[in-house]
Amino acid sequence: MPVIEGPVRASEVPAWDSSADVVVVGLGVAGACAGLEAHRAGADVLVIERAGAGGGASALSQGQFYLGGGTDVQRACGYSDSPEAMYSFLRAVTTTGDEDSLRVFCEQSVAQFDWLEAQGVPFAREAYRHKAVYVRSGEGLLSTGNEKVWPFREVAPPAPRGHQVSGDGEISGGYIAMKALLGTFEREGVPAIYDAAVTGLVQDDDDRVVGVTVMSAGRASFVQARRGVVLAAGSFNLNPELTSENIPLFSRFGKPLGEPTNDGAGLLLGRSVGVAEKGMSGVVATASIYPPEDLIKGIVVNAAGERFMPEDAYHGRMAANIARQPDAVAYLILDEEIFAYPKHGSHTFVDAFETVDEMEHALGVPVGSLAGTLAAYNSDVEAGEDSAFHKHGDWLKVLTAPYAVFDISIPRSDYHWMSLGGLWTDEWARALRPDGTPVPGLYAAGACAAHLAQDGDEYASGMSLAAASLFGRRAGAHAASDGANRGAATHG
Ligand SMILES: Cc1cc2nc3c(=O)[nH]c(=O)nc-3n(C[C@H](O)[C@H](O)[C@H](O)COP(=O)(O)OP(=O)(O)OC[C@H]3O[C@@H](n4cnc5c(N)ncnc54)[C@H](O)[C@@H]3O)c2cc1C
């Protein structure tokens, strides 16, 4: 666990070593966006980054931003979308109670896309029209969620919203995005210090957050924040205590996505002053069966030999459903026509089987179970409708012997995951107490805040970077203006 102290009372601070209007903790995507907006709003900003340079997990990421509502990329690629359609889909797929944040996320999405491009983040006007987890072949748009999956395709017209930062195929989109954002950040002269960890918050007698404690080169110091502190310190994915407590299955069997400083410091800083936490057991995991997309034409069954979901679901939704099966066991069953190894290499090939009996025996599923499942599925396919789970017609195909099986169980595959829980915030990224009131002077954005999606069922790739950048900006802008307004109100 990172050592987080306090909070310290402002009256106990012997002297402020330095001060700024807005202090931003961490320089990943959320911190860069918060720092830029606060700086442009005229605030005197200081970003404090624990590593030797900015970037965080954001720079390691694939660089997919979930944006929609009719962005220029969507229009150029021939897709129509609207903020209402984006909202209807996300409202149907997520269970978040943060209605205002969800609305802002959809209504501001086109403007957020424009803003990212204006900072130099590149998105090609070309779509990838097959199923993929991410692309590095230069396209700027692909489908990264459950938009075409039943029942969501009936709720809102499906549109691809995964905006993929374009590159040369070698470097990750996240690196390219952060290079652009940090380049703008540096050109505009937003002050930042590095190799400096925020270790605690300072509160005044009204519980307003008015500063932070910092540890750098073995020396502790106090930095005053006259208008606000923005926590943008990333996830707790690399904190074994927090992950084993909150995400036991994936923490035990999967591999966390992130970098070493994603150890929950932001969460613990918020916790130290009573910020509520939301969705802490939420996780999105992936060990996708596609590409190649023909594998979606197979069926996925559990240890009872029964299907339990449509196989065309987003890969994070599939992992969430597998996690709910007995012992988190699942198998992908293919036939000769569609057989291929999943490209991401996360699953073990079990064997090929001439008959269903042999396959049942080898997998240890109840005798007759797979025979019944295959018969029902094939009969549905012939009738043109997956009556059990409504897999899209694009992926319906009669499966015939010989068969092949991949073990896609969570304990025996290579699932990568990231946490979705974190500090509770509102639509301005203000950090909220359990009663819903903001802790004055404190904001949280990015992966230290709770995501809009509560679980892999609800997530779409790109929702993290999109929300971190949007709510990072809103935190920076609000912190800059909140303090100014407070000052104006105070001085009548
Ligand atoms: C391999 C990979 C691929 C991914 N792909 C995608 C994707 O394509 N799309 C998507 O939406 N999401 C993706 N994600 C998730 C996404 O990258 C993160 O959710 C997002 O980058 C979080 O941004 P952030 O600014 O909150 O945190 P980070 O980018 O992690 O930045 C946090 C910063 O805070 C610093 N810090 C930590 N503690 C302190 C402290 N005490 N004091 C000062 N500084 C501190 C850290 O050093 C770090 O620089 C991916 C993640 C990984 C690892």
Side-chain angles (χ1 to χ4, degrees):
M1 285 265 197
V3 179
I4 299 299
E5 307 138 353
V8 174
R9 283 283 150 204
S11 52
E12 290 163 16
V13 173
W16 295 108
D17 296 281
S18 58
S19 68
D21 294 331
V22 177
V23 169
V24 178
V25 184
L27 189 52
V29 68
C33 294
L36 268 169
E37 287 293 45
H39 178 73
R40 289 173 181 177
D44 172 19
V45 176
L46 180 65
V47 180
I48 303 174
E49 167 56 50
R50 177 166 152 197
S58 309
L60 299 178
S61 75
Q62 294 299 345
Q64 289 176 347
F65 288 72
Y66 191 85
L67 300 160
T71 65
D72 200 48
V73 171
Q74 288 180 310
R75 283 187 280 115
C77 294
Y79 293 104
S80 68
D81 195 9
S82 65
E84 297 72 37
M86 183 177 176
Y87 171 79
S88 300
F89 166 69
L90 285 175
R91 185 61 286 172
V93 79
T94 65
T95 54
T96 179
D98 293 335
E99 180 64 18
D100 291 342
S101 299
L102 188 64
R103 283 203 179 274
V104 162
F105 185 69
C106 299
E107 284 163 9
Q108 296 296 313
S109 195
V110 170
Q112 180 62 10
F113 168 81
D114 292 342
W115 186 88
L116 286 164
E117 271 210 324
Q119 314 316 307
V121 182
F123 297 99
R125 269 55 176 167
E126 195 184 338
Y128 183 82
R129 296 177 199 271
H130 301 279
K131 286 274 263 187
V133 177
Y134 58 86
V135 289
R136 286 202 185 168
S137 39
E139 295 88 346
L141 184 66
L142 74 161
S143 195
T144 58
N146 288 293
E147 294 84 355
K148 279 182 80 176
V149 176
W150 189 88
F152 310 110
R153 61 177 178 254
E154 293 176 1
V155 170
R161 302 195 180 98
H163 285 65
Q164 173 75 65
V165 174
S166 310
D168 60 5
E170 294 295 319
I171 301 169
S172 84
Y175 179 84
I176 294 166
M178 286 312 294
K179 197 170 171 211
L181 287 170
L182 293 177
T184 306
F185 183 90
E186 278 161 27
R187 269 193 306 281
E188 296 194 15
V190 187
I193 56 170
Y194 301 92
D195 294 314
V198 171
T199 52
L201 297 174
V202 181
Q203 281 183 300
D204 69 11
D205 290 340
D206 297 327
D207 288 339
R208 184 179 181 87
V209 173
V210 294
V212 298
T213 56
V214 179
M215 184 61 77
S216 178
R219 182 178 166 269
S221 60
F222 293 97
V223 178
Q224 185 183 26
R226 289 183 294 267
R227 298 186 191 175
V229 171
V230 180
L231 301 176
S235 72
F236 63 87
N237 292 343
L238 274 286
N239 181 318
E241 278 177 51
L242 287 172
T243 59
S244 57
E245 180 188 336
N246 293 289
I247 308 169
L249 178 69
F250 287 104
S251 165
R252 181 161 170 221
F253 293 115
K255 291 189 184 139
L257 288 168
E259 49 124 35
T261 58
N262 292 151
D263 61 3
L267 181 92
L268 298 174
L269 285 163
R271 187 182 278 183
S272 76
V273 295
V275 179
E277 290 156 37
K278 285 203 63 173
M280 288 296 287
S281 60
V283 56
V284 56
T286 178
S288 184
I289 60 167
Y290 58 83
E293 63 186 13
D294 259 6
L295 300 193
I296 298 167
K297 294 177 182 166
I299 57 169
V300 170
V301 299
N302 58 18
E306 292 165 351
R307 288 177 75 215
F308 50 89
M309 64 176 304
E311 292 80 4
D312 58 349
Y314 166 65
H315 51 92
R317 189 172 175 87
M318 182 168 282
N321 276 272
I322 295 172
R324 285 188 210 109
Q325 301 310 305
D327 300 322
V329 164
Y331 301 104
L332 170 65
I333 299 179
L334 307 167
D335 72 6
E336 198 170 24
E337 192 188 335
I338 53 173
F339 176 79
Y341 278 82
K343 184 177 166 213
H344 296 289
S346 313
H347 302 299
T348 313
F349 176 59
V350 179
D351 212 342
F353 302 97
E354 291 298 331
T355 67
V356 180
D357 285 358
E358 283 172 33
M359 184 160 62
E360 284 177 351
H361 182 72
L363 300 183
V365 299
V367 173
S369 61
L370 279 182
T373 298
L374 278 162
Y377 180 74
N378 284 342
S379 140
D380 266 4
V381 173
E382 274 162 359
E385 169 65 23
D386 171 17
S387 64
F389 298 104
H390 309 280
K391 178 154 77 166
H392 195 283
D394 290 353
W395 313 112
L396 293 180
K397 168 202 155 5
V398 170
L399 299 172
T400 53
Y403 303 101
V405 178
F406 283 93
D407 188 340
I408 60 172
S409 306
I410 288 163
R412 297 192 289 266
S413 300
D414 205 7
Y415 281 84
H416 287 78
W417 57 267
M418 56 190 199
S419 56
L420 297 175
L423 300 171
W424 188 27
T425 52
D426 69 5
E427 73 278 16
W428 284 105
R430 287 180 292 196
L432 304 176
R433 302 182 179 105
D435 67 1
T437 59
V439 173
L442 190 65
Y443 300 78
C448 64
H451 286 61
L452 286 168
Q454 312 278 294
D455 210 346
D457 269 332
E458 308 181 9
Y459 192 77
S461 292
M463 286 181 78
S464 300
L465 292 175
S469 59
L470 173 66
F471 292 109
R473 289 179 61 204
R474 290 172 71 83
H478 199 280
S481 71
D482 183 39
N485 294 341
R486 212 167 55 97
T490 308
H491 297 109

